[in-house]
């Protein structure tokens, strides 16, 4: 007779915490997590601290605990046919269908913009970008939009040297001064552009998606081959789509 497999109660509880956090984009207080999982506050704190250290959980500005970027990266490995983008993805799909270009949503993670949702162009791009791809902030439109809205001491912490890391593409920015020189214009026009900076021959434009409090939570971008993609033609549709997504995020509490 086969005996029941042994399981780890600690791992089981950690996974229950992750499932709990997935139900509320605004996160949960420590006491709420402890109560919902029927564990002591000290045990909940240890588990949450471990999950934070591994990137599966993050401490939100409200003080609550919410899902972190690593939880997304693991989830992004789920087969495409069982993914669910939610209401916030509908405007993205509409923009992709209208434009025939690739539309992506990215989150900020350290020195990278991580693609968390994407609708592909009807034509093949000369760049391998899929859900889960990490793009250097200075080399993509989404990343430059994030950087332009950071405090300068944070930008300097990410890039302490005068020269930016090299080897992304032949068209990438070379110096931190050149990067910073774009920030004022990005903020004033509310979008950032990318002309062959991540991949040769690929142009893109990005803007922000915000929550009900006006905080920047994600970057929405549209990109295509430079041979046909005119940045000026797609800035207004992009801004309109991002506005729609921000409204959905604010009114319905949809996570991104």
């Amino acid at each position: 007779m086969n005996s029941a497999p042994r399981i780890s109660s600690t791992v089981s509880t950690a996974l229950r915490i992750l499932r709990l956090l997935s139900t509320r984009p605004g996160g949960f207080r420590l006491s709420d997590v402890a109560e919902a999982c029927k564990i002591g506050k000290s045990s909940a704190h240890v588990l949450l601290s471990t999950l934070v250290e591994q990137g599966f959980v993050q401490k939100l500005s409200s003080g609550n605990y919410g899902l972190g970027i690593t939880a997304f990266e693991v989830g992004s490995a789920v087969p495409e046919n069982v993914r669910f983008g939610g209401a916030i993805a509908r405007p993205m799909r509409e923009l992709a269908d209208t434009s025939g270009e690739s539309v992506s949503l990215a989150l900020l993670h350290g020195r990278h913009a991580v693609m968390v949702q994407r609708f592909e162009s009807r034509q093949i791009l000369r760049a391998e970008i899929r859900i889960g791809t990490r793009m250097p902030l200075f080399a993509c439109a989404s990343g430059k939009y994030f950087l332009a809205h950071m405090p300068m001491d944070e930008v300097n912490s990410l890039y302490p040297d005068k020269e930016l890391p090299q080897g992304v593409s032949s068209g990438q920015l070379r110096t931190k001064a050149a990067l910073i020189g774009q920030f004022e214009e990005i903020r004033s026009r509310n979008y950032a552009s990318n002309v062959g900076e991540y991949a040769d021959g690929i142009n893109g434009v990005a803007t922000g998606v915000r929550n009900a409090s006006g905080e920047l939570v994600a970057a929405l971008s549209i990109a295509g081959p430079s041979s046909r993609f005119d940045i000026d033609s797609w800035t207004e549709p992009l801004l309109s789509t991002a506005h729609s997504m921000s409204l959905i995020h604010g009114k319905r509490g949809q996570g991104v």
Side-chain angles (χ1 to χ4, degrees):
M1 183 173 64
N2 293 330
S3 60
R6 297 180 62 186
I7 63 172
S8 167
S9 60
T10 301
V11 174
S12 178
T13 303
L15 293 174
R16 284 163 49 209
I17 289 174
L18 291 177
R19 287 197 297 270
L20 174 68
L21 298 184
S22 73
T23 65
R24 187 187 299 171
F28 289 80
R29 296 177 301 176
L30 171 63
S31 58
D32 295 332
V33 173
E35 181 178 355
C37 294
K38 296 180 171 39
I39 57 176
K41 286 186 179 180
S42 60
S43 295
H45 185 263
V46 170
L47 287 170
L48 285 166
S49 297
T50 303
L51 291 168
V52 168
E53 194 274 332
Q54 292 295 320
F56 283 92
V57 170
Q58 62 177 323
K59 194 79 174 288
L60 305 176
S61 58
S62 63
N64 288 353
Y65 290 91
L67 288 181
I69 192 69
T70 304
F72 162 73
E73 292 179 319
V74 171
S76 69
V78 173
E80 186 68 32
N81 64 327
V82 297
R83 287 198 187 112
F84 178 66
I88 201 167
R90 285 199 291 268
M92 287 182 65
R93 183 181 291 279
E94 291 171 2
L95 178 60
D97 290 344
T98 299
S99 66
E101 305 293 1
S102 296
V103 177
S104 304
L105 192 69
L107 297 183
L108 174 65
H109 183 53
R111 290 188 176 193
H112 296 88
V114 181
M115 296 301 149
V116 297
Q117 184 58 279
R118 184 171 171 86
F119 295 98
E120 293 292 346
S121 166
R122 289 193 291 263
Q123 301 185 48
I124 297 174
L125 294 182
R126 294 191 300 274
E128 188 67 19
I129 303 171
R130 58 171 66 93
I131 291 178
T133 295
R134 294 175 176 233
M135 304 174 72
L137 294 176
F138 64 86
C140 64
S142 294
K144 290 198 289 183
Y145 190 89
F146 283 131
L147 287 167
H149 291 83
M150 286 182 190
M152 277 308 304
D153 59 348
E154 189 172 346
V155 175
N156 288 327
S157 177
L158 290 172
Y159 302 108
D161 301 325
K162 292 182 179 180
E163 300 293 323
L164 294 171
Q166 301 299 302
V168 179
S169 79
S170 62
Q172 72 167 87
L173 296 175
R174 301 293 172 181
T175 66
K176 183 170 69 173
L179 177 65
I180 293 173
Q182 297 184 9
F183 288 175
E184 184 176 351
E185 185 176 11
I186 290 171
R187 290 190 291 264
S188 65
R189 65 189 185 182
N190 197 30
Y191 66 84
S193 59
N194 163 23
V195 180
E197 295 166 48
Y198 178 73
D200 294 332
I202 302 296
N203 295 347
V205 58
T207 190
V209 175
R210 298 178 179 274
N211 62 19
S213 301
E215 297 172 317
L216 178 62
V217 294
L220 176 70
S221 64
I222 180 170
S226 55
S227 58
R228 70 167 186 266
F229 187 83
D230 178 22
I231 288 174
D232 292 337
S233 297
W234 292 108
T235 53
E236 286 304 320
L238 178 76
L239 292 169
S240 177
T241 300
H243 178 67
S244 296
M245 294 172 69
S246 296
L247 290 177
I248 293 170
H249 186 281
K251 290 181 180 179
R252 301 186 182 181
Q254 295 289 325
V256 294

